[in-house]
Amino acid sequence: MTEQMREPTYLVLAALAGGRQHGYGVMQDVAALSEGRVQLRAGTLYGALERLVRDGLVTQDGEQVVSGRLRRFYVLNPAGTRALAEQTSQRQATVKVAVRRLRALGVQA
Amino acid sequence: MNLERSYRRLLLAYPSRWRDERAEEVLGVLLDGAEARAAHRPAVAEAIDLVGHGLQARAGLTVRLLDERTRELTAVLALASLTALSSLCLFFGEWWPWPQQAVPGPDIQVAAFPGTPGPFLTAGGPLMAALLVPALLVVMGWPRAARVMLVGLVPVTVALTAVAPLLDVNRPALWTLCGLLAFSALALLAPVRRPALLAALAVGLFIALAYAVVADLDPSYDPRPNFYYGYLLQLLTRLVPLGVLAAVAVAGGWRAVRPRAW
């Protein structure tokens, strides 16, 4: 079993699963897919992105300058897709157990 | 102050090499975010996030200047040295039952160190015992637990050094604690593997045993309570921290002379 990723890293992978994005796009997508619960800040985002690029899960894919601002794009590569699938399965298994236990306590989740 | 200039100042927390590669891109993201919020200055949480990650990047870059094999070798030797030094200190400095006739007058431990919490000679005893555990955890096949324990013991060692004089509790010599701290920090440079550690431990513990035999054969040598001020131990515990400082200074100097984008 692979090591559990930290939530910001997992969310960055999940955002990139939606397609090629630049840094600010990833930030907005993470906020949207977590329903506003997680607002990534630039330091955290680039810390996670650098680790993911270094670990070979995400690839840098071109850049452009918009209104004088540099934008670099990132894509999820096959290794990243596999890692996201593994992490999602692990989380699903944990959620299943938690839901079952909550039901046993009479709580609907 | 201009918003862009404020962000550039915050990004100075990152090392120059990182800024050369990333700063313009991150600046763009920060300005996009500020525009969306209609902000005129960086938010406090944003500033803390940038400075925190910048300092982390500085620490990480210094470590990455060493190649992987060097880091692994350093970590193994540091953990073996930490174990050997802690064993020596625990046995000789804190507990060794020296024959009473070698000690003039009443028990010199009590006379020299009144108020010692006991059964150890100083408050460093439990710390020395705890410092033996990380190597044991690696040998038992739990290297992650060993790293977690090492990370926890670094602030404990710093706290003991700082707090002992305030509480009027005896602690081991400052240089010994500095040496233990340096070994603990170096042992965290890379994960330590069991076979390499066992080999290094064999050498380290052999040296510790040789030290014990030499000390035992010399009738004039009474390490209690002067063990921490013995010539060999002082040399060792001074050389290591100085070596670490020299390495950091060289790495920092190398980065300082590199051309910077801004």
Side-chain angles (χ1 to χ4, degrees), chain A residues 98-109:
Chain A
V99 167
R100 207 167 49 234
R101 290 184 179 178
L102 282 169
R103 277 194 191 138
L105 293 171
V107 179
Q108 200 66 38

Side-chain angles (χ1 to χ4, degrees), chain B residues 8 11-25 58 260-262:
Chain B
R8 282 191 187 276
L11 288 172
L12 286 172
Y14 285 86
S16 60
R17 182 191 282 193
W18 185 95
R19 294 201 304 271
D20 293 349
E21 291 171 11
R22 294 255 168 239
E24 294 306 320
E25 179 189 0
R58 278 184 187 273
R260 293 170 185 219
W262 53 273

Side-chain angles (χ1 to χ4, degrees), chain B residues 6 27 39 46 87-88 97 105 109-110 122 135 137 145 165 167 181 193 239 260:
Chain B
S6 303
L27 192 62
E46 203 171 39
S87 311
L88 266 178
Q109 290 188 25
V110 176
T122 78
L137 289 171
L167 297 180
L181 255 181
R193 293 191 188 128
L239 275 182
R260 293 170 185 219

Side-chain angles (χ1 to χ4, degrees), chain B residues 201-227:
Chain B
L201 269 180
V203 176
L205 293 176
F206 173 77
I207 293 170
L209 190 66
Y211 188 94
V213 170
V214 170
D216 202 32
L217 287 178
D218 181 358
S220 66
Y221 184 84
D222 177 13
R224 182 181 68 169
N226 298 316
F227 171 79

Side-chain angles (χ1 to χ4, degrees), chain A residues 43-44 50 69 72 74, chain B residues 18 21-22 25 32 35 49:
Chain A
T44 308
E50 273 176 26
R69 290 174 194 168
R72 285 202 179 106
Y74 298 89
Chain B
W18 185 95
E21 291 171 11
R22 294 255 168 239
E25 179 189 0
D32 282 345
E35 250 174 40
D49 177 67

Side-chain angles (χ1 to χ4, degrees), chain B:
Chain B
M1 192 193 289
N2 176 301
L3 183 64
E4 182 179 331
R5 206 182 319 156
S6 303
Y7 279 132
R8 282 191 187 276
R9 285 210 170 160
L10 288 170
L11 288 172
L12 286 172
Y14 285 86
S16 60
R17 182 191 282 193
W18 185 95
R19 294 201 304 271
D20 293 349
E21 291 171 11
R22 294 255 168 239
E24 294 306 320
E25 179 189 0
V26 178
L27 192 62
V29 169
L30 289 165
L31 292 171
D32 282 345
E35 250 174 40
R37 299 191 312 270
H40 300 292
R41 62 174 69 93
V44 175
E46 203 171 39
I48 292 170
D49 177 67
L50 285 174
V51 172
H53 281 93
L55 296 178
Q56 267 181 35
R58 278 184 187 273
L61 193 67
T62 307
V63 168
R64 283 199 295 276
L65 286 175
L66 305 170
D67 70 75
E68 202 177 328
R69 279 184 64 84
T70 311
R71 270 186 278 152
E72 281 176 4
L73 184 67
T74 309
V76 166
L77 292 176
L79 188 54
S81 306
L82 179 73
T83 309
L85 183 61
S86 304
S87 311
L88 266 178
C89 293
L90 186 62
F91 205 57
F92 279 80
E94 300 289 340
W95 178 75
W96 180 249
W98 296 100
Q100 284 299 306
Q101 61 269 29
V103 182
D107 190 345
I108 200 164
Q109 290 188 25
V110 176
F113 294 99
T116 295
F120 301 111
L121 187 58
T122 78
L127 174 71
M128 306 299 177
L131 285 170
L132 299 178
V133 178
L136 195 65
L137 289 171
V138 172
V139 171
M140 289 167 72
W142 296 323
R144 275 179 64 87
R147 285 175 73 79
V148 169
M149 185 151 186
L150 274 173
V151 169
L153 284 172
V154 168
V156 170
T157 312
V158 173
L160 176 70
T161 310
V163 168
L166 303 176
L167 297 180
D168 205 20
V169 173
N170 299 304
R171 57 155 170 74
L174 187 61
W175 280 105
T176 306
L177 291 171
C178 286
L180 292 169
L181 255 181
F183 282 137
S184 303
L186 289 170
L188 285 166
L189 278 179
V192 174
R193 293 191 188 128
R194 179 164 38 185
L197 179 66
L198 285 173
L201 269 180
V203 176
L205 293 176
F206 173 77
I207 293 170
L209 190 66
Y211 188 94
V213 170
V214 170
D216 202 32
L217 287 178
D218 181 358
S220 66
Y221 184 84
D222 177 13
R224 182 181 68 169
N226 298 316
F227 171 79
Y228 288 116
Y229 300 95
Y231 177 72
L232 263 177
L233 193 73
Q234 288 211 56
L235 188 70
L236 179 70
T237 52
R238 282 173 199 214
L239 275 182
V240 172
L242 287 176
V244 173
L245 283 177
V248 171
V250 168
W254 180 82
R255 290 213 308 276
V257 296
R258 287 181 68 248
R260 293 170 185 219
W262 53 273

